[in-house]
Amino acid sequence: QAVIYNDMIIRCLNTTICVHTLFFVFACTNEPVQIYKQVKVTVSPSAVLTDFVPYDSRQKEMSDDEELGLAKLRITALLYDEAGMLVDKRESLLNDYNSDYSFSLVVGPEQEYTLLCFSSSIHGSMEVPEYESYEFSGVENLSTLKVTQWDEVSYYSNWSVLGVGNMKISSSEDEYNISLRPETAFVYMLYRNIHSND
């Protein structure tokens, strides 16, 4: 009986040691920590109007409405993950096409994002647009993103021009520069002597 009793004690001790060892091993095993990185993005809209030659140099300027005042240039930046889901949205108002918009984005390791950027004219503030040349809807997913033009008339200005740029973003770089390009035509319609042959 003493031998059996001693054997049972040894088995219990072995079991206890195994359990404590496993507990220690699992307690020291942590999930891998994902280190996110902040990258700087600079959006430049200056090239959007470069190739357009206006009839009058003033007709490349921002829209100037008697009631609404001088329009601003809105930069819209949309960051999508690999599944096409929106992970970040940034917007800012610039005085015109001669300014750049810089901001920072937080990106995950070993992931590649798609960054879409747009430039469009707007009257009013970002929070309460009084009048806008383009509207963005369905931004939550890349597959549902829709850009709608509200007014195709330029009003002797660059009001109807849409600038677009896209780029792949990852944590492999610290800085990204995006130069926007025109995605629309630039058309002026002039009327003269419209009542001369009544």
Side-chain angles (χ1 to χ4, degrees):
Q1 286 183 348
V3 173
I4 294 173
Y5 180 70
N6 286 338
D7 189 44
M8 287 178 61
I9 291 175
I10 291 171
R11 284 185 188 175
C12 287
L13 285 174
N14 285 341
T15 304
T16 304
I17 291 171
C18 287
V19 168
H20 283 293
T21 303
L22 286 173
F23 176 77
F24 180 75
V25 168
F26 283 111
C28 294
T29 304
N30 296 323
E31 290 293 322
V33 177
Q34 286 196 341
I35 300 175
Y36 285 79
K37 181 179 177 181
Q38 189 168 295
V39 298
K40 181 182 178 183
V41 177
T42 300
V43 182
S44 176
S46 60
V48 172
L49 298 178
T50 301
D51 292 335
F52 293 124
V53 180
Y55 181 77
D56 183 320
S57 61
R58 293 171 298 177
Q59 295 172 345
K60 283 177 79 171
E61 302 297 325
M62 302 300 293
S63 173
D64 193 358
D65 185 83
E66 290 182 4
E67 296 180 8
L68 300 173
L70 195 63
K72 297 282 188 181
L73 185 67
R74 176 178 57 191
I75 303 296
T76 303
L78 305 170
L79 184 69
Y80 294 93
D81 62 16
E82 293 174 346
M85 299 300 295
L86 180 72
V87 293
D88 205 341
K89 176 183 178 181
R90 301 296 178 92
E91 283 190 309
S92 182
L93 292 182
L94 306 178
N95 288 330
D96 51 38
Y97 285 86
N98 298 317
S99 304
D100 293 341
Y101 173 42
S102 295
F103 55 93
S104 294
L105 294 171
V106 176
V107 296
E110 300 179 4
Q111 294 186 52
E112 189 175 61
Y113 301 84
T114 300
L115 180 64
L116 298 182
C117 297
F118 302 90
S119 64
S120 57
S121 292
I122 181 175
H123 283 291
S125 66
M126 197 78 70
E127 296 76 20
V128 186
E130 295 183 53
Y131 193 40
E132 53 190 340
S133 54
Y134 292 87
E135 182 184 67
F136 302 89
S137 59
V139 298
E140 295 78 16
N141 196 295
L142 189 55
S143 64
T144 59
L145 174 64
K146 186 177 181 181
V147 183
T148 304
Q149 184 181 41
W150 283 110
D151 197 346
E152 71 280 2
V153 182
S154 22
Y155 300 110
Y156 306 100
S157 69
N158 58 46
W159 175 260
S160 61
V161 177
L162 177 70
V164 175
N166 66 295
M167 182 174 282
K168 294 294 184 182
I169 300 284
S170 70
S171 60
S172 61
E173 300 289 338
D174 295 326
E175 293 188 19
Y176 291 89
N177 297 298
I178 301 179
S179 182
L180 303 186
R181 63 186 182 277
E183 200 64 27
T184 56
F186 196 5
V187 178
Y188 292 107
M189 298 182 69
L190 305 176
Y191 297 90
R192 292 194 177 191
N193 302 322
I194 59 173
H195 299 295
S196 61
N197 294 310
D198 284 350

